[in-house]
Each structure stands twice: as C-alpha cells, then as structure tokens.
Amino acid sequence: MWLFLYLINLLFAFLAAGPFSDLLESELANSKVIQHIFGGFDYTVFMEFYQQNSGAIWAFLGQAIILVFVFFVFNIFFSGGIINTFYKNKEHFILRNFWYDCSQFFWRFLRLTFYFLMFHAVLLAIFGVLFYTIIEGGSNANLVSEVTIISGAKIIFPIYAIFAIILSMIQDYAKIHIVSGDKKMLTKPILEIFKLTIKNFVKTASLYLLNILTILIIFGIYRLLQTPFTSDNMTGIFILFLVGQLFLFCRIGVKLLNLGSATWMYKYIANQPIVEVDQGFEEV
Amino acid sequence: MKQKTNWSVLIFCFLVFNTFAQKGWFEQPLSPRTANYDMQITLDPETKMIHGKTTLTWKNPSNDTVPDLHFHLYYNAFKNTESTFFKNSNRISRRPTDEECTWGWNEMSNIKNDNGQNLSSKYIQPDNDHEADQTVLSVQLAEPVLPNESVTVTFDFTVKIPKIMVRSGYSRDYFFLAQWYPKLGVYETEEMGRTKASGWNCHQYHSNTEYYGEFGNYDVHITVPGDYKVGASGSLQKTTENGKMTTHSFHLEDVIDYTWTASPDYLVYEDKWRNVDLKVMTFPGHECFVERYFDAAKNSFDYFAEHLGEYPYHSLTMVDVPYHGLFTGAMEYPTLISVLNLRILPEGVLLSETFAVHELTHQFFQQILATNEQEEPWMDEGFTTYWEGRIMDEYYGAQSSAFSVLGIGAGNVEYNRIEYLNMRNPKMVPTSATGFDNGVNGYRTITYNKTAIWLKTLEGLVGEATMSEIWKTYYQKWKFKHPYGHDFINVVNEVVGEDMGWFFDQVHFGTEMCDYELFSFSSNEILPKAGVFGADCLTGNEEDNKNNEPLYKSQVVIYRNGEVKLPVEILVHFEDGTEILEKWDGKDRIHYLNYAKSSKIDWAEVDPQRKIHLDQNFTNNSLVKESETTPVKKYFSKLLFWFQNVMQAVTMLV
C-alpha cells in the first residue's frame, strides 16, 4: 500500500512536471545559455524563458493544477481503503479488499472532506479577520511601524496553526469513526468524534505531535543527506533525486503511520479491541 | 538709479564676503551661486504650519534685463483638486478625505526689495490653461535686474503642511519637508535648454515629474519644539534653546534645493567616510538597517571617487522613513536622502542598499550635474539607474544585488533589463520624452530602466575605457551647471571621435526594439570533383583528386529580428578548438558567414560578451551542435520533487 501510494504520487507529479521539462529542453537545450542555469538559478535565462513561453507555461500550470485536484480526489478515494486496512488490522494487504473499501467509503469521505474544508475555511477566515484587525489592515496610514505586522503574525499564526492541526487531527479520527461504525450519516459522527477527541485530548494530541515530530526529524535527515551533494553533474543530480525520493517515500510512510497509530488510539479511547477479526473478503 | 544699484551691489558684495569669509567651505565657489537663501522658520507641530522669513539674493546669469522673479510654490499643488497636479494625476486617490482639513498650501507675503519697496505678485501658469493652479508665482520687481547684476528680496511665507502626499508632508509627529519653501526657478540663458530662448524655466507642479533648481548657498535656521530631532541638508552650525523651542542653524553651499525633517522619535546614528559626516536617522524597530545604509553609502562614495569624482560636500544624512511615512521615502535632496526598507522583507532583498545607492547617486546626477528633471528625466533617473547597477553589481554580486532569497537571486542590472523588456508596451515613448509627456504607466520604466540599458549598450559598443572617459569628461565639463541632453550627446561624440547620432536616434529618440538571433549553422563535407571535365570523366575516387583530410563547407546564418541596427560580434567555434570572431554592422535582415575548413562548427554565438544589453532575447543568440540535456534533467528532477511535495501537502486536507 505504501509503495502503491508513492507510485501514484510519482505518476501524477511526473505528468505535471513532464511538459515543463519538454518545453525547457526544446527552448534551451540547443542554446549556450543552458550552461548558465546548470550551476544554479539564473534570473536572465529564466525570465527570458518565461517571456518567450508565457502562454505555454500558464497552460501547463493550469494542467498541473487540474492534476493536483485529481490527485486530491484520488486520495479521498484511497482513504477508505487505507483506514479500513488499519482498522481491521489485516496481516496481509489484499488489493481487492482495498478497492472495495475505497469505493464503499468514497462518497462519505468526499462529503466529510468537503465539511472539513469548510471548517478550515471558517477557521482561516476567523484568524484572518483577527490578524487584519490587529494589524489595522496593514495600512501604512494606520500603523506606526510594520513591526506590528510581524508581531501580529508571530502571535496569530502559531495559534492558527495549532487550531488547524487539531482540526486535521479530528478529521482523521472522524474518518476512523465512520469506518468503525460504517456510519452513513456524517453530522452525528462528526459531533461524536469532536467530543471523544477533546475528551481524550492529551492522548490524541500527544500522538499527533509525535507524528509531526517524526516528519520533522525525517526532514532534518533529508537536509543533512542533501548537503554534501551538488547538482552540477549527472551523478550529483541522480543522488539528489534518490535522496528526494527517499524523503517522499518516508513522508508518505509517516502519513500512513499517522493514520495507523490514530486507528490504534481510536480503538484505545473508544474501548474497542485493538485486534479485530478480519471480516472482509478472504484472500484468494 | 545707477547709484542705487551700485549701493546694492556694494552691500551685497559686503554681505557675501562677510558671510563666506566666516563660513565658506570651499576656497573657490563650486557653482555660480545664483540664488542664495537665508531662511528663518518655525514649525508649529500642532497646527502643522511653518512660518518663515526669507532673504533671497539672485544674480542674473544672462545678458537679459529681467523684470520679474518666478517662484515654485509646490505645496499649492496640494491646495485643492483644481491644481495641475491633481487634474492630471492618477494620484487623486491620495487626496485628503478625512474630516480634518489636511490639504497643504504655501503663501508668500510682505514681499519687498532691498529698498523696502513692496513688490506685486501674481500666480501664472506657464504650461497650460489651468488658471486655478497656484504652483508658480511671478513677482514683479520694482526695477529690472540688469545682466550679471544681483537683486535681494525679502518675504514672509506661511506653509500649511499636508498630510503626506507625494514625497512630502506630515504623519503623526513625523515631518518631512521637501519642496516646501518658495523656491526660485532657473533663469536659462540662450546657450542652455532645448528651446534656445532665454527666460525662466519654472514649470507648474506636474504629478509625473520631479524638480529643477538653481545653485546657491543656504543658511537655514529651523525652530522646532525642544524634544524634536532635526535632520537637514547641510551641516549643523549651532543650536540655540529658547524656552520650549530650539533653533537649529544649518549651512550649505553650492546646492540646488533644501530639505529637512523633524520628529521626536528619531534615533540618530553617526559615522564617517573620509571627511564626510554620515548620519542615519531612523525609527525604533529599524536599528537593524543602520549598518547596511552606512555600508552602502561608503561603497558608493568609494566607487564615485574612483570612477567619476569625489563627493564634494561635508555631510550626508540618510533618513530611513517610518512605515506611516512611506511616501516620503526613496527621494534625493542635496546632502539628504530618504531611504526605506521593511522588516517584513527577507534580508536577501537589498532594498536598503538599492535605495541608499540610488538616492546617493543622485547627489551627482541631478544635484551636482543639475539637469532639468521635469523636461529630461532620463538624465537623472536613467543615469542614476545605470550607476546604481554598476555599484550594486560591483559590491553585492552581479546575480544577487537585487535580491537573493533561498537560492533564487537577481542582479541589479539584469533585474532592470528584464523589468523594461517585460513592459506591456516597451515602445510607448522614447527615453527623450519630457516628464509630463510620458504615459503614467510607462514613465518610470522607460525613463529609469531603458536609459540604463542603452547606456550599458553604449558602454559595450565603445568599450569600458572610453565609457569611463565619457563620464569623466561629462562630469568635469558640466558639474555645478545645468546640462541638457544634447550636452551629454556632444560629450559622447567628442570622446568617441565620431557622430554617434545613429545610436542615439535609434535607442534614445526612437522606440524600436533590438533582437539578433543566431538562426542556424551547418557543416557539410566538400566532396571530390566528379563528372565529365573535357575528355576526362572523374569518379571522385582518383587519388590526386581526393583531399588528404576532409574539408567542410560551413555556413552560419544570423537574423536581425528587431528594427534597431547595431554593430554586433559573432563568435564561431570549431570542433578542433579554433575560434573566429566576426564583426557585422548588423544592418541587413539576414547575414551569412561562410567557411571552408578542415573542422566542423561546434557552436556559434551572436554578441558573446553581451555588449548589447538592449537585445531582448539572449537565449536565441547561440546554437550548439549537440544539445545539452543534463541541466534539463536537473530542473526536471527538481520540478518533479516540488510537484510531489505539493501533491502530498494537499493530501493533508483529506
């Protein structure tokens, strides 16, 4: 499942990045200016490239945005399969069962995602208005110093981040709760999981924090591994590519770890048995 | 009348001698000192008013008999919506809207000559029929001023300071006073100017132009509340406390304008460059920028001392404007410049340095070389942008002097070039257009950036050494005078030794674009002769008909895509390592280079040294035989990784 999710991610990113690469090759590969961008960023080359190809670049960007959206929907689709796999605590990953779970929960998770996007939007709007009020619109006619904007951001942004993280955490538990009870309606489960998560906030938040810490450590390791290499030769480019892919693979792994550990925590706080008998399809 | 005039001259000479014998900075005056001011002013922060008294001595620099004096009253542009400034302005949104009357104005009264006679005055509109515009005042003299004679007038003036409008005004208890006092226009002689007619050059205040001033000395006594810190053009001579008020007396010689600022909140830092007193006046929260301003100023002074001339004044004050006074920032005045930066920007964005270097450069281009900014803005803003690029790239890196953040950077020169080329309509006006003729949206970029780019192109064409000679000659010949565009062009022609009209007609007076493209190259083996030649029929395989080593017929094709025609070099590199540098006058639409050599062409490049900065596309300047895809792979892998992370980030919302 881990490898499968990584390959899907790679495929979509490849489809999004491919046209840009082709354009770069067709426009620059026969010019000596290509050497200017080998060592690092070159403003003149990139801006001229943009100037000459802005139409194509924007078209490709539009296409990339569509791909990101499709990937987003795919991930909603996969969520049911992933969570049920963890929830049922299956020893072996069976692709057929996975697809069944994906399709079974897709529409519910789509609605759930929509609801939580709205919650996120409301949260963002609340903190946005709060920030706007604190910095008086950022207008230089009202503020004595722009330092107020920085101080405001230093206060507001971390608080917002905490609330947004909590909301994301609740969303994860909501998905597990829906899978757990195979609930068709969403409003009640959402309210229930709000209560359950808040009631066990120290436990759930600590686990979530631990997972965030894990991804930060992985990011740190990635940066360390990246440092000794430069991308001014083919070997360097290849090594950096591999390091990057390793990071992505781990990132996806941590996401799975998060869902897996949250499923375990859910069972723990909901007083459910940690190990359940697999009631899905039998292995063929 | 004659006797009276003689007395006036004697009194004037005595005053001038007395004043300069005590306070004179320079052994010889640097400028003609045509308009000399002695001002006593008092700031009332509560009412936002200034009450002042001026003694002005003006020397007629022409062979004309001058009956009147023309004054700029720039603050009257902010008096009401009927001023030329507001009528032609896209800045109308900045007009005061709150209930408190925050309009600004300037009024002269009690105008007298040195005999105590009252002088009449009236507002005039030299540029258009906006009769309500009061930004130019004509004062009728009791007796005309004869050629090379002087006149002294005294007057009171009242200034209502506007809430910050454009470059000047107040905000809270911050006051920035630029173009605030009744300031004489420039009386141009026949040799000067574009019209070749002598007379006052005293334009109304147009929203899209800056200023033009006459050289002179200034003694300014500024009275403000005791807790206010004052920064001003010139050197502080003394401070006198008078109850709750303090008078700061400043002296300055051979300058074209006078500006000052006051606030109780200023933090003042001092440093030195050679004998020049450097000062940064900033506000709490901006202490981190102070050293950056000092470094930029010192670098600029070093650079000018080496490449143009040493800064002649004794002081430079850099006013780092507060956030609430942002519109007073990024301006140049004699020995005082306003700079700005924002704490919300990353350190790699070199705003402090760029503004300090740019505004300081104006001390030379606009102040010492006192060009007419209203009519020929390219001569100060364009020249300054060119020098700003040279200095910034020299001290802060050719690929990082504009900004360098997270591995992405741009140099000042390249940033300015791209800004011009990315304009929606880079052909909208020539750089020679007057300030108020320029379209609002294109004024800045054409004037600043295009001029800088064609100057860089000129440098490429004539060579750095000749360009250096041009600048030094121009500076030596025209410092402390009022050069016009044709004066600079004449210097270029003189130093280069040819009429460069072909260049200026295209890049300065014209609007066309420049683009040379290396379209293609090919190398084909020259085969042995074959066929019927008289009685012989050659197959091509005969030993004596074969070349020992193959010969290749090579051709390079170059296009001129733009309308601008400039001489250009082409470098052709062969596989055996030999190179041929060709010169082409760049006039034809298509140009061929043909070779018969034992080696094939490996690559070819038009303008390999990038002398022609006006070329709008460097990418098409070169071709290589075998395409290089490794850099593409590098960026593909980066882009791929970036998209992967974006996609993974989006899944956080699932």
Side-chain angles (χ1 to χ4, degrees), chain A residues 167-227:
Chain A
L167 200 58
S168 295
M169 181 182 82
I170 292 169
Q171 188 177 1
D172 284 345
Y173 281 98
K175 282 185 284 191
I176 299 162
H177 190 52
I178 289 164
V179 168
S180 148
D182 193 14
K183 298 178 192 313
K184 306 285 186 236
M185 304 305 287
L186 298 184
T187 319
K188 199 177 165 197
I190 289 172
L191 288 172
E192 285 168 358
I193 206 66
F194 257 97
K195 282 179 197 163
L196 188 70
T197 318
I198 301 302
K199 195 176 160 188
N200 296 279
F201 187 71
V202 177
K203 290 179 190 131
T204 52
S206 303
L207 181 68
Y208 210 73
L209 209 62
L210 198 66
N211 287 326
I212 290 172
L213 206 64
T214 309
I215 192 67
L216 288 176
I217 290 167
I218 288 170
F219 183 71
I221 294 169
Y222 160 69
R223 295 290 295 176
L224 276 176
L225 287 175
Q226 208 192 23
T227 312

Coordinates of all heavy atoms in Angstrom, one line a residue, chain A residues 167-227:
Chain A
L167 N -7.8 20.5 14.1 CA -8.9 20.2 13.1 C -8.6 19.0 12.2 O -9.4 18.1 12.0 CB -9.3 21.5 12.3 CG -10.6 21.6 11.7 CD1 -11.7 21.4 12.7 CD2 -10.8 22.9 10.9
S168 N -7.4 19.1 11.7 CA -6.9 18.0 10.9 C -6.9 16.6 11.6 O -7.3 15.6 11.1 CB -5.5 18.2 10.3 OG -5.5 19.4 9.5
M169 N -6.5 16.7 12.9 CA -6.4 15.5 13.7 C -7.8 15.0 13.9 O -8.1 13.8 13.8 CB -5.8 15.9 15.1 CG -5.7 14.8 16.1 SD -5.0 15.4 17.6 CE -6.5 16.0 18.4
I170 N -8.8 15.9 14.2 CA -10.2 15.4 14.4 C -10.7 14.8 13.1 O -11.4 13.8 13.1 CB -11.1 16.6 14.9 CG1 -10.6 17.0 16.3 CG2 -12.5 16.3 14.8 CD1 -11.2 18.3 16.8
Q171 N -10.3 15.4 12.0 CA -10.8 14.8 10.7 C -10.3 13.4 10.5 O -11.0 12.5 10.1 CB -10.2 15.7 9.6 CG -10.8 15.4 8.2 CD -10.3 16.3 7.1 OE1 -9.5 17.2 7.4 NE2 -10.7 16.1 5.9
D172 N -9.0 13.1 10.9 CA -8.5 11.8 10.8 C -9.3 10.8 11.7 O -9.7 9.7 11.3 CB -7.0 11.7 11.3 CG -6.1 12.3 10.3 OD1 -6.5 12.4 9.1 OD2 -4.9 12.6 10.6
Y173 N -9.6 11.3 12.9 CA -10.4 10.4 13.9 C -11.9 10.3 13.4 O -12.5 9.2 13.6 CB -10.4 11.0 15.3 CG -9.1 10.7 16.0 CD1 -8.1 11.6 16.1 CD2 -8.9 9.4 16.6 CE1 -6.9 11.3 16.7 CE2 -7.7 9.1 17.2 CZ -6.7 10.0 17.2 OH -5.5 9.7 17.9
A174 N -12.4 11.3 12.7 CA -13.7 11.2 12.2 C -13.8 10.1 11.1 O -14.8 9.3 11.0 CB -14.1 12.6 11.6
K175 N -12.8 10.1 10.3 CA -12.7 9.0 9.2 C -12.7 7.6 9.9 O -13.5 6.7 9.4 CB -11.5 9.2 8.3 CG -11.6 10.3 7.3 CD -10.5 10.5 6.4 CE -9.3 11.1 7.1 NZ -8.2 11.4 6.2
I176 N -11.9 7.5 10.9 CA -11.8 6.2 11.6 C -13.2 5.8 12.2 O -13.6 4.7 12.1 CB -10.7 6.2 12.6 CG1 -9.4 6.5 11.9 CG2 -10.6 4.9 13.4 CD1 -8.3 7.0 12.9
H177 N -13.8 6.9 12.8 CA -15.1 6.7 13.5 C -16.1 6.2 12.5 O -16.9 5.3 12.8 CB -15.5 8.0 14.1 CG -16.6 7.9 15.1 ND1 -16.7 6.9 16.1 CD2 -17.8 8.6 15.1 CE1 -17.9 7.1 16.7 NE2 -18.5 8.1 16.2
I178 N -16.1 6.8 11.3 CA -17.1 6.4 10.3 C -16.9 5.0 9.8 O -17.8 4.2 9.7 CB -17.0 7.4 9.1 CG1 -17.6 8.8 9.5 CG2 -17.8 6.9 7.9 CD1 -17.2 9.9 8.6
V179 N -15.6 4.7 9.6 CA -15.3 3.3 9.2 C -15.6 2.3 10.3 O -16.2 1.2 10.0 CB -13.8 3.2 8.8 CG1 -13.3 1.7 8.7 CG2 -13.5 4.0 7.6
S180 N -15.3 2.7 11.5 CA -15.6 1.8 12.7 C -17.1 1.4 12.7 O -17.4 0.2 12.9 CB -15.1 2.5 13.9 OG -15.9 2.2 15.0
G181 N -17.9 2.4 12.6 CA -19.4 2.1 12.8 C -20.1 1.9 11.4 O -21.3 1.8 11.4
D182 N -19.3 2.0 10.3 CA -19.9 2.0 9.0 C -21.1 3.0 8.9 O -22.2 2.7 8.5 CB -20.3 0.6 8.6 CG -20.6 0.5 7.1 OD1 -20.2 1.4 6.4 OD2 -21.3 -0.5 6.7
K183 N -20.8 4.2 9.4 CA -21.9 5.2 9.5 C -22.2 5.9 8.2 O -21.3 6.2 7.5 CB -21.5 6.3 10.6 CG -21.3 5.6 12.0 CD -20.9 6.7 13.0 CE -20.4 6.1 14.3 NZ -21.2 5.1 14.9
K184 N -23.5 6.0 7.9 CA -23.9 6.5 6.6 C -24.1 8.1 6.7 O -23.7 8.8 5.8 CB -25.3 5.9 6.2 CG -25.3 4.4 6.1 CD -24.5 3.9 4.9 CE -24.7 2.4 4.8 NZ -23.5 1.7 4.7
M185 N -24.6 8.5 7.8 CA -24.8 10.0 8.0 C -23.5 10.5 8.7 O -22.9 9.8 9.5 CB -26.0 10.3 8.8 CG -27.3 9.7 8.3 SD -27.6 10.2 6.6 CE -28.1 11.9 6.8
L186 N -23.2 11.8 8.4 CA -21.9 12.3 8.9 C -22.0 13.3 10.1 O -21.1 13.4 10.9 CB -21.2 13.0 7.8 CG -20.8 12.1 6.6 CD1 -20.0 12.9 5.6 CD2 -20.0 10.9 7.0
T187 N -23.1 14.0 10.2 CA -23.2 15.0 11.2 C -23.0 14.5 12.6 O -22.2 15.0 13.4 CB -24.6 15.7 11.1 OG1 -24.9 15.9 9.8 CG2 -24.6 17.1 11.8
K188 N -23.7 13.4 12.9 CA -23.7 12.8 14.3 C -22.2 12.3 14.5 O -21.7 12.6 15.6 CB -24.7 11.7 14.4 CG -25.0 11.4 15.9 CD -26.1 10.4 16.0 CE -26.1 9.8 17.4 NZ -26.9 8.6 17.5
P189 N -21.7 11.5 13.6 CA -20.3 11.0 13.9 C -19.3 12.1 14.1 O -18.4 12.0 14.9 CB -20.0 10.2 12.6 CG -21.3 9.9 12.0 CD -22.3 10.9 12.4
I190 N -19.5 13.2 13.3 CA -18.5 14.3 13.5 C -18.6 14.9 14.9 O -17.6 15.1 15.6 CB -18.8 15.4 12.4 CG1 -18.4 14.9 11.0 CG2 -18.0 16.7 12.7 CD1 -18.8 15.8 9.9
L191 N -19.9 15.1 15.4 CA -20.1 15.6 16.7 C -19.5 14.7 17.8 O -18.9 15.1 18.7 CB -21.6 15.9 17.0 CG -22.2 17.1 16.2 CD1 -23.7 17.1 16.4 CD2 -21.6 18.4 16.7
E192 N -19.8 13.4 17.5 CA -19.3 12.4 18.5 C -17.8 12.4 18.6 O -17.2 12.3 19.7 CB -19.8 11.0 18.0 CG -21.3 10.7 18.3 CD -21.8 9.5 17.6 OE1 -21.0 8.8 16.9 OE2 -23.0 9.2 17.8
I193 N -17.2 12.5 17.4 CA -15.7 12.4 17.4 C -15.1 13.7 18.0 O -14.0 13.6 18.6 CB -15.2 12.0 16.0 CG1 -13.8 11.3 16.1 CG2 -15.0 13.2 15.1 CD1 -13.8 10.0 16.8
F194 N -15.8 14.8 17.8 CA -15.3 16.0 18.4 C -15.2 15.8 19.9 O -14.2 16.1 20.6 CB -16.3 17.2 18.1 CG -15.8 18.1 17.0 CD1 -16.1 18.0 15.7 CD2 -14.8 19.1 17.4 CE1 -15.7 18.9 14.7 CE2 -14.4 20.0 16.4 CZ -14.8 19.8 15.1
K195 N -16.3 15.3 20.5 CA -16.4 15.1 21.9 C -15.3 14.1 22.4 O -14.6 14.4 23.3 CB -17.8 14.5 22.3 CG -18.9 15.6 22.3 CD -20.2 14.9 22.7 CE -21.4 15.8 22.3 NZ -22.7 15.1 22.3
L196 N -15.2 13.0 21.6 CA -14.3 11.9 22.0 C -12.9 12.4 22.0 O -12.1 12.2 22.9 CB -14.5 10.7 21.1 CG -13.7 9.5 21.5 CD1 -14.3 8.9 22.8 CD2 -13.7 8.4 20.4
T197 N -12.5 13.2 20.9 CA -11.2 13.6 20.8 C -10.8 14.7 21.8 O -9.7 14.6 22.4 CB -11.0 14.2 19.4 OG1 -11.6 13.4 18.4 CG2 -9.5 14.4 19.0
I198 N -11.8 15.6 22.1 CA -11.5 16.6 23.0 C -11.4 16.0 24.4 O -10.6 16.4 25.2 CB -12.6 17.7 23.0 CG1 -12.6 18.4 21.6 CG2 -12.4 18.8 24.1 CD1 -11.3 19.0 21.1
K199 N -12.2 15.0 24.7 CA -12.2 14.4 26.0 C -10.9 13.7 26.2 O -10.4 13.7 27.3 CB -13.4 13.3 26.0 CG -13.7 12.8 27.4 CD -14.9 11.8 27.2 CE -15.0 10.9 28.4 NZ -16.0 9.9 28.2
N200 N -10.3 13.1 25.2 CA -9.0 12.5 25.3 C -7.9 13.3 24.6 O -7.0 12.7 24.0 CB -9.1 11.1 24.6 CG -10.1 10.2 25.3 OD1 -9.8 9.6 26.4 ND2 -11.3 10.2 24.8
F201 N -8.0 14.6 24.8 CA -7.2 15.5 24.0 C -5.7 15.2 24.3 O -4.9 15.2 23.3 CB -7.5 16.9 24.4 CG -6.8 17.9 23.5 CD1 -7.1 18.1 22.2 CD2 -5.7 18.7 24.0 CE1 -6.4 19.0 21.4 CE2 -5.0 19.5 23.2 CZ -5.4 19.7 21.9
V202 N -5.3 15.0 25.5 CA -3.9 14.8 25.8 C -3.3 13.7 25.0 O -2.2 13.7 24.4 CB -3.6 14.7 27.3 CG1 -2.2 14.4 27.6 CG2 -4.1 15.9 28.1
K203 N -4.1 12.6 25.1 CA -3.6 11.4 24.4 C -3.5 11.6 22.9 O -2.5 11.3 22.2 CB -4.5 10.2 24.7 CG -4.4 9.7 26.1 CD -5.4 8.6 26.3 CE -5.5 8.3 27.8 NZ -6.8 8.2 28.3
T204 N -4.6 12.0 22.3 CA -4.7 12.2 20.8 C -3.7 13.2 20.3 O -3.0 13.0 19.4 CB -6.1 12.5 20.4 OG1 -6.5 13.7 21.1 CG2 -7.1 11.4 20.6
A205 N -3.6 14.3 21.1 CA -2.7 15.4 20.6 C -1.3 15.0 20.8 O -0.4 15.3 19.9 CB -3.0 16.7 21.4
S206 N -1.0 14.2 21.8 CA 0.4 13.8 22.0 C 0.8 12.9 20.9 O 1.9 13.0 20.4 CB 0.6 13.0 23.3 OG 0.1 13.8 24.4
L207 N -0.1 12.0 20.5 CA 0.2 11.1 19.4 C 0.4 11.9 18.1 O 1.4 11.6 17.4 CB -0.9 10.1 19.2 CG -0.7 9.0 18.1 CD1 0.5 8.1 18.5 CD2 -1.9 8.2 17.9
Y208 N -0.4 12.8 17.9 CA -0.4 13.6 16.7 C 1.0 14.4 16.6 O 1.6 14.5 15.6 CB -1.6 14.6 16.6 CG -2.0 14.9 15.2 CD1 -2.7 14.0 14.4 CD2 -1.7 16.1 14.6 CE1 -3.1 14.2 13.1 CE2 -2.1 16.4 13.3 CZ -2.8 15.5 12.5 OH -3.2 15.8 11.3
L209 N 1.3 15.0 17.8 CA 2.5 15.7 17.9 C 3.7 14.9 17.7 O 4.7 15.3 17.0 CB 2.6 16.3 19.4 CG 3.4 17.6 19.5 CD1 2.7 18.7 18.8 CD2 3.4 18.0 21.0
L210 N 3.7 13.6 18.2 CA 4.8 12.7 17.9 C 5.0 12.4 16.4 O 6.1 12.4 15.9 CB 4.4 11.4 18.7 CG 5.6 10.4 18.9 CD1 6.6 11.1 19.9 CD2 5.1 9.1 19.5
N211 N 3.8 12.3 15.7 CA 3.9 12.1 14.3 C 4.5 13.3 13.6 O 5.2 13.2 12.6 CB 2.6 11.7 13.7 CG 2.2 10.3 14.1 OD1 3.0 9.4 14.3 ND2 0.9 10.1 14.4
I212 N 4.1 14.5 14.0 CA 4.6 15.7 13.4 C 6.1 15.8 13.7 O 6.9 16.1 12.8 CB 3.9 17.0 14.0 CG1 2.4 17.0 13.5 CG2 4.6 18.2 13.6 CD1 1.6 18.1 14.1
L213 N 6.5 15.4 14.9 CA 7.9 15.4 15.2 C 8.7 14.4 14.3 O 9.8 14.7 13.9 CB 8.1 15.0 16.7 CG 9.3 15.5 17.4 CD1 9.3 17.0 17.5 CD2 9.4 14.9 18.8
T214 N 8.1 13.3 14.1 CA 8.7 12.3 13.2 C 9.0 12.9 11.8 O 10.1 12.7 11.3 CB 7.8 11.0 13.1 OG1 7.4 10.6 14.4 CG2 8.5 9.9 12.4
I215 N 8.0 13.5 11.3 CA 8.2 14.1 9.9 C 9.3 15.2 9.9 O 10.1 15.3 9.0 CB 6.9 14.5 9.3 CG1 7.1 14.8 7.8 CG2 6.3 15.8 9.9 CD1 7.3 13.6 6.9
L216 N 9.3 15.9 11.0 CA 10.3 17.0 11.1 C 11.7 16.4 11.2 O 12.7 16.9 10.6 CB 10.1 17.9 12.4 CG 8.9 18.8 12.3 CD1 8.6 19.6 13.6 CD2 9.0 19.8 11.1
I217 N 11.8 15.3 12.0 CA 13.1 14.6 12.0 C 13.5 14.1 10.7 O 14.7 14.2 10.2 CB 13.1 13.5 13.1 CG1 13.0 14.1 14.5 CG2 14.3 12.5 13.0 CD1 12.6 13.1 15.6
I218 N 12.6 13.5 10.0 CA 12.9 13.0 8.6 C 13.3 14.1 7.7 O 14.3 14.0 6.9 CB 11.7 12.2 8.1 CG1 11.5 10.9 8.8 CG2 11.8 12.0 6.6 CD1 10.2 10.2 8.5
F219 N 12.6 15.2 7.8 CA 13.0 16.4 7.0 C 14.5 16.8 7.4 O 15.2 17.1 6.5 CB 12.1 17.5 7.2 CG 12.3 18.7 6.4 CD1 12.1 18.7 5.0 CD2 12.9 19.9 6.9 CE1 12.4 19.8 4.2 CE2 13.2 21.0 6.1 CZ 12.9 20.9 4.8
G220 N 14.8 16.8 8.6 CA 16.1 17.2 9.1 C 17.2 16.2 8.5 O 18.2 16.7 8.0
I221 N 16.9 15.0 8.5 CA 17.8 13.9 7.9 C 17.9 14.2 6.4 O 19.0 14.1 5.9 CB 17.3 12.5 8.3 CG1 17.3 12.3 9.8 CG2 18.1 11.5 7.5 CD1 16.6 11.0 10.2
Y222 N 16.8 14.5 5.8 CA 16.8 14.7 4.4 C 17.8 15.9 4.0 O 18.6 15.8 3.1 CB 15.4 15.0 3.9 CG 15.3 15.7 2.5 CD1 15.7 15.1 1.4 CD2 14.9 17.1 2.5 CE1 15.7 15.8 0.2 CE2 14.8 17.7 1.3 CZ 15.2 17.1 0.1 OH 15.2 17.8 -1.1
R223 N 17.7 17.0 4.8 CA 18.5 18.1 4.6 C 20.0 17.8 4.8 O 20.9 18.2 4.1 CB 18.1 19.3 5.5 CG 16.7 19.8 5.3 CD 16.6 20.6 4.0 NE 17.4 21.8 4.0 CZ 17.5 22.6 2.9 NH1 16.9 22.3 1.8 NH2 18.3 23.7 2.9
L224 N 20.2 16.9 5.8 CA 21.6 16.5 6.1 C 22.2 15.7 5.0 O 23.3 15.9 4.5 CB 21.7 15.7 7.4 CG 21.7 16.5 8.7 CD1 21.7 15.5 9.9 CD2 23.0 17.3 8.8
L225 N 21.4 14.8 4.5 CA 21.8 13.9 3.4 C 22.1 14.7 2.1 O 22.9 14.4 1.3 CB 20.8 12.8 3.1 CG 20.7 11.7 4.1 CD1 19.5 10.7 3.8 CD2 22.0 10.9 4.1
Q226 N 21.3 15.8 2.0 CA 21.3 16.6 0.7 C 22.6 17.4 0.7 O 23.1 17.7 -0.4 CB 20.1 17.5 0.7 CG 19.6 17.9 -0.6 CD 18.6 19.0 -0.4 OE1 18.5 19.7 0.6 NE2 17.7 19.1 -1.4
T227 N 23.0 17.9 1.8 CA 24.1 18.9 1.9 C 25.4 18.5 1.2 O 25.9 19.4 0.5 CB 24.4 19.2 3.4 OG1 23.2 19.4 4.0 CG2 25.3 20.4 3.5

